[in-house]
Each structure stands twice: as C-alpha cells, then as structure tokens.
Amino acid sequence: MEQYRGVKRAHPDAFLFFRLGDFYEMFFDDAVRGAALLGLTLTSRNKQDPAPIPMCGIPWHQRDAYVARLLRLGHKVAICDQLEDAATAKGIVQRGVTEVLTPGSVMAEGFVEPAANNFLAALWPAGDSLGVCLIDTSTGEVKLAEPPWDEASAFLARLGVSEWVVPEADALVEPARGRLDAARRGLAGAVSPMPIAAFLAGDPLADRWGAEGAREAAAAPEAARAAAAAIAYLERVQGGPARQLVRIERWSAAGTMTVDATTARHLELFQHAPGGEARHTLWHHVNLCVTALGARRLRAWLERPLATLAPLVARQDAVERWIAAGAARGEVREALRGMPDLERLAARIVCERATPRDLGALRDALARLPHLAARIDASGVPMSSPARAALAGIPALESRLAAALVDEPPAIAREGGIVRSGFDELRDRLDQVAHSGKRWIMDLEAAERARTGIPSLKVGFNRVFGYYLEVTRPHLARVPADYERRQTLTTAERFVTPELKTKEGEVLGAEERLVAREIELFTALRAEAATHRAAIERAADALAALDAESTLAEAAARYGWTRPRLEDSDRLTLDGARHPVVERLLPGGEFVPNDCALDGARRQILLLTGPNMGGKSTYLRQIALAVLLAQAGSFVPATRAEIGLVDRLFTRVGASDRLGAGESTFMVEMRETAAILAAATPRSLVLLDELGRGTATYDGLALAWAVTEFLHAGGGPRPRTLFATHYHELTQLAGTLPRLANVHATVKEWGDEVVFLHRIAEGAADRSYGIQVAQRAGLPAPVVARAREVLRELERERTVEHLEAAEAGGSLPLFAAAPAPAHPVIAELERLDPERLTPLEALERLARWKREVGGGGGGGRPNA
C-alpha cells in the first residue's frame, strides 16, 4: 500500500484507479466515495486487521465507462497502470500514472458529448472586467472574452463549463478574490487552481497562434492572461504540448443577441424542466442534424443568435436555397449522414492522441468528400469557392492512408494489425517470418502425434510459458526422451523440445518486431496527417455549415415554418404564430395559432390577462422562441413574421427556488426581475409571467404595477414587453400609459363550466376562472362550493378605489391604506341574532359592550 499512497499523494484531487491484475482498484476515501457514486460494492483489504482498508474495484476493460460517469459528475481521475509484466517482475510490480483525465481536458469520443462543446474556462480577475478563456481541447477552439464585472456572473452562467482554472485563492487580494467568487458562485464544474505565475507568465501566444491570433489576444489582454494559465494547465495534465489549440476567436457582446441562462432554462431550449422529458425541449425538435459536426454548429447558433442584419440574411438565404432544393436536399443529407467528426479527429491527430481507427475514419471521410460535392452540384444549390475547395478533399493524404491501412483498423495500436500487406517491405518480411513460424508450430502437432503415437497430444500457448506440447497422464509413458518438462498440471504434463524453443524464439521475436514496425509506420502516418490539419479543419467547417443549414431547411419544410423579415427597428409582428414544441406534442391541427403586434413607439407593452390554462404562458414562450429562431437564422413557426432585431432576450417565467443558496421563490423572482430592469434596452424583448405572485397580494400587485410603469417610463429602458398577469387592476394602466395595450386569453362560459379557446384577443379579461380550473383538477365539491361563496363576498367588497395616485405629475401610484379592522363590539353585533336573545341576556350584553367601549356604567348585575 505504500506504493499506492505515494501515487495518491501526487494526485490528491483525483480518484486514483490503481491497476491490480485484471482490475482497477480504489482504496481509502476514494473507495468510499467511488462506491457511492458508481454503485459499486464496498469491501475491504486485510479484513482481519483492526482497521481494514476500504476498497472497491472495476474490471480493467470497463474502465472508460466508469471514468466517463465520474467526469460527468465533475470529478478528476488518475489512471495508474502496471509498467511491467507481473509474471516477470521481481518484487513489487512497477506502476505509474499514465493518464490524468479531467472534465475539461478529455478528448476521447467516449468522454465528450458529440453535439456540444466541452469547455474548460480559465478566469483572470482584472480591474474593470473578468478575463475569460474558453478552450475545447476536443476541437481545438479557443474563445477569449472580457465581460465587465456587472455582467460576469450572467456571462459565465450561460456557458456550460466542465472545468474551471482559477488563480490560487491565497494569491489573490480583495476585491479581486470576492469578485471572482461571486461571479462563479453556484456554477457546476471541477475547479483546478493554478499558481498566479501561470497567469502572469509571458507565454509566447504569438508563436502558437500566429499574427492573426496574436492580434486577437492583444485586443483582449486580460483574457490572454487566462489563456496562458489554461494552456499551462492542459499541457501539465495531458503530458505534452497542446498543439491543437490554434483556432482563436474573440467574443464580444456586439453582433450577438444575449440569451442568459435563466432565459434558456425558462424556454427549455436544451434542458427540460424538472419532471419533463427531452421531447419538451426546442433542441429535441430542431436538431435534425445527421453529423455531430452539424449538431455542434447548430447548437452554437442557438446559444449565440446573431443581432446583425447582413450575416443573418446570408444565413437565411442559404436555408431558403436548401428548402427550394426539395428532394435533392434529402439526397445530400443522406450522403452526409454518418460523416466522421473531422473537427475532433484533427485535434486528436495533432495531439498524437489519434488511434489507428481514427486514421481509418479520416481515410473514409476524405474518400466521401468528392461524392458529397457532386451531390451538392446535382442539387442546384450553389457552393461558395472556399466550401468547394474544402470539399475537394486531400487526395494525396487519402491515397496514402488507403494504401497503408487495413480496411478496419484496430482501436489501439499496441497489438498491431494496422498496416496493409504490400505497403512496407520490412513489415511484410517480419509478417512472413511470424506467420511461417506459426504454421510450423501448428504443423508440429500432427507430426508429433505421428512420431509418439499419442493421439491426444496438442500444442498450446500461454503468456508465461510460451509454446508447449501437452500430454495427458495416461500417455506419459510414451513421451520421447528429447521432451523437456515445462509444467505439471493435475491431469497432464507440458513439455518443450529444443526445436520448439528455437522456433518459438523466432516467432515471438518476429511478432514483437512486426508490432513495433507497425506502430512505427502508424506514428509516421499520424504525423503526416497532422501536417494537413488546416485542410482537415476547413473541410470540417464546410461540413458543419452544410449540415446546420440543411437541417434548418429540413425543419422549416417538415414543420411548415416561414421566413421572417428581419429589420433594424423596434417592431415585432407575428401572424399565426405557434409554439414549435407544443405544436409537435399535440395531435395535428389542435394547436391554436395567435398573432402578436409590438411597436416601441405605439404599442410597446402588451398586458395579457385571462384564465389559468388559457394559454398565456405558452403564448409568451412562442413569441420568444420565434425571435430566437429567427436570429439564429432559422425560419419560424408563423404564417408571417416581421422582427426588429433584438439585442437581449429576457424571460421571467415560472416559479423556482434556490434553497441551497438560501433564496426563496419570491427572492429568485425579484433577483431575476432586477437583472432585467438593469440590463434591458429599447431593442430588448422582455417576457414577464405572473410577476409578484410569490408574496402577499397587495405587495405583489404593487410591485407588478411599479415594474410596468418603469418599463414604460420615458427615461426607462422601454423594451418591447409581454406581461401576463392575474392582477386585473393592472389593466387600468391602459388609461394612463399610452404605449400599453390590453389583450386577453378568451374563454367560452357554459353554465359553471368554461371552455378555453386559447385565442388571444384585444381588450382585458374580467376574471381568471381559477375556481373552474380547480374544479377540473378534482378538488372536492364542498371545497369548490365554499370557494365560490368566498369569491362572491370578496368581489362584493373590492373597489377600484383601492388604487389611487399619490400625486399628479408622474410619480408611481400608491395603494391607499387598508381600512382599519372593525371594533370587536361591531363584529359581535354583526353576528348577533336578536330573535334568540332573552331580555336578561340583552341587558347583560349591553352592559358589557358599554364597558368595552370605555363608557363606564354601573358595572353590577342589573336588577330584574
């Protein structure tokens, strides 16, 4: 165990998988935590000791499956392998860490999500901003950003980071330490501290990225510091230079629509709500991509929609061309289906992590590119010159790989079987020696049976004793004198002969040299492929764009979506808009489309009232999703759409709490609302649903009233706003706020029942029909009946005068003070039934009431 402890000390923050024979074992705390996380049986070593050592293990061939689970949970794993053969080792088998796998540094396909980036984020706290470097080691992408501190938390929350590289806490001083902690608070992902020197070191980024990359880094110097630390960390854990990190891009808020993590969660873009299903997300219905490349590109478009007209129109034009292609679009997509992930292949090749199977996949992909280009030409969809050049392939590399590799290369190189016969003369000679020797050994069995007369004699092989002749015990008397005993079994003896030992040496030596030669050839082929990295990445880029654009066309054609007209304005007009997810979940034709008209100058705020279950929340979400799809370059679920470009999309929909952070549902609601009011602009789109419902009625109404006036005020943000509410008092604001219009979800009453029409119409609703919804939900009849009685009483007492202006001239309206509660005597009088009182009881009560109101009185019992 001292060997284990020594290795563990070097990797204290990782689960240590320690190879013992055919198992990887975990010990001590790793075993206790690993058994709980992975569902393994926890046992112990040295069970007779007073303090047995906890342990658990997994079969060696199932390692990657268990590692992937730990990585997804945000943990690191160090792999400690046997560095020598246990059969020939003297004393304790030499072991060492051969891999350190962390959530943000892994590259193998089994450890990363095919349709999403796997980002490692390095953070550097600067004076006015946060330096951020995002790296996807599996694709070679590097993103630099410097969000200001007031936007840093929201920026990080929407990234989906697997691992964070941060300065060691002790090296930071305030306020940098507090700001960094606040920006990252509550975000998932492993944390890997680095010495502050790694951030301040003059890493030669210019040498790595070239002149263009150096310009990007110079424009974001704080992010470049984060990049230096991220690269140093990756090269440490990966045990070599991160050569794949050459594709650098600087992110800025300009040119993209901001969609924060809260909005993405409320709209269920990629992750369904608790209790939901994958089919409840937009991604489930839009991701019709046929390659992992295309899926990642499409996801990036949805995560960072554009806010600039020219590139959006170009993307729309490409989608429209693919729609016009009709059946030819399907043929192109079929030719594209299953294309290997060239982006991640290129990264593994450059990093010397590619396997023989990876090179085989590259060979097959390069061979398919010209056929795909021919299909595109036949479709009539024009290709740009760069795309045409990228899809021409790399003929020299493709022919070289085709000549060198077997049809189905193995997943690992160490056992050979990689190179095709005829490619290398030395390899072929070694193969001939190895195979001729094996044939001689196999022929030996028949020859020795004939020579010895032992019919059951057989030739075998194992790793410890090599080749042998096995004779069962009944025939041992016939064993020739030249047989040398090698091993004794219960039922047989194993022998060798001088000739067999000589031939075994030739065969095994030839096999070892054959495998070594094939590994040498494979390594050279991989290095040759790495010199074509740029061309492979250009092909990957063209394939990703092709798949993403044709997928948006496929969705538009399949779902009946239309091309939106985009413009630089503050208008938003949708005719016959539909929810892209809800429509797919309902039987055909059941979804009710609705119109929406917003105009920053005349119709800035729509106040939506109506019943529960009337479709208000669905209406809000479908407007937001239409805008997001449009600015991702997609067509939209509507019969007509004219959309003024949105710079920020905000939603305050649904109810949730953060108990772990000590925040109630109402506190979360207020924090999200505060963020909206602080960041919204006249080009933003704000969706508010049931604001203020998490507190007392009057408090909630007051807040909703004040927020509405703030959004409308001339000096305020004045974003286009949809506000769904059950506070019917707010509808009065249409009389004082000229850019506010009332709309409502319609119903049809039928006795005590209502039919929800899900149609949005002009004007305010007069009631919410909550009791009817409760009745439908199955509340007991007595509860419903009592609720109706209470509602009638409340409606009788409620007056419009509860709301009145505190002063003329634009100050926020305030609520009049609630009337003082009735005096107990008055309350008792209201409950009194005079017909049931005797004269004596009446006199006694009058005397008591006189005393209670402070009027004195005799105080004694009245005479009869």
Side-chain angles (χ1 to χ4, degrees), residues 140-142 208-209 213 242-248 533 537:
E141 297 170 86
V142 180
R208 176 185 297 273
W209 290 332
R243 299 188 185 94
Q244 79 276 32
L245 304 181
V246 294
R247 299 163 56 202
I248 181 171
R533 175 196 57 78
E537 288 177 347

Side-chain angles (χ1 to χ4, degrees), residues 5 60-61 68 94 116 128 164 175 188 204 360 362 394 413 430 433 457 480 492 522 524 541 620 680 803 838:
R5 289 188 178 95
W60 69 270
H61 60 279
Q94 184 181 356
D128 298 325
W164 306 90
L362 175 62
I394 312 171
L430 292 171
V433 171
L457 183 148
F522 161 70
D541 183 69
L620 264 60
L803 296 175
T838 66

Side-chain angles (χ1 to χ4, degrees), residues 611 746-750 753-758 769 776:
T746 57
V747 300
K748 183 73 173 178
E749 294 192 56
W750 189 267
E753 298 289 331
V754 292
V755 177
F756 302 117
L757 302 179
H758 303 296
Y769 300 96
R776 280 191 174 191

Side-chain angles (χ1 to χ4, degrees), residues 493-531:
E493 297 274 355
R494 290 176 176 175
F495 302 88
V496 296
T497 65
E499 191 176 17
L500 177 58
K501 285 194 292 185
T502 300
K503 189 60 71 172
E504 177 188 70
E506 294 176 2
V507 169
L508 296 182
E511 284 186 335
E512 289 176 2
R513 284 179 285 140
L514 172 62
V515 170
R517 180 58 178 168
E518 291 211 347
I519 292 175
E520 181 183 351
L521 293 170
F522 161 70
T523 303
L525 284 170
R526 186 170 61 189
E528 183 178 346
T531 65

Side-chain angles (χ1 to χ4, degrees), residues 550-570:
S550 64
T551 288
L552 291 179
E554 184 69 23
R558 187 179 299 186
Y559 304 148
W561 294 355
T562 191
R563 176 172 178 166
R565 177 186 172 188
L566 301 174
E567 56 189 24
D568 282 317
S569 75
D570 57 5

Side-chain angles (χ1 to χ4, degrees), residues 41-54:
T41 300
L42 182 65
T43 181
S44 60
R45 183 183 180 92
N46 301 331
K47 295 182 180 181
Q48 307 306 319
D49 285 1
I53 299 171

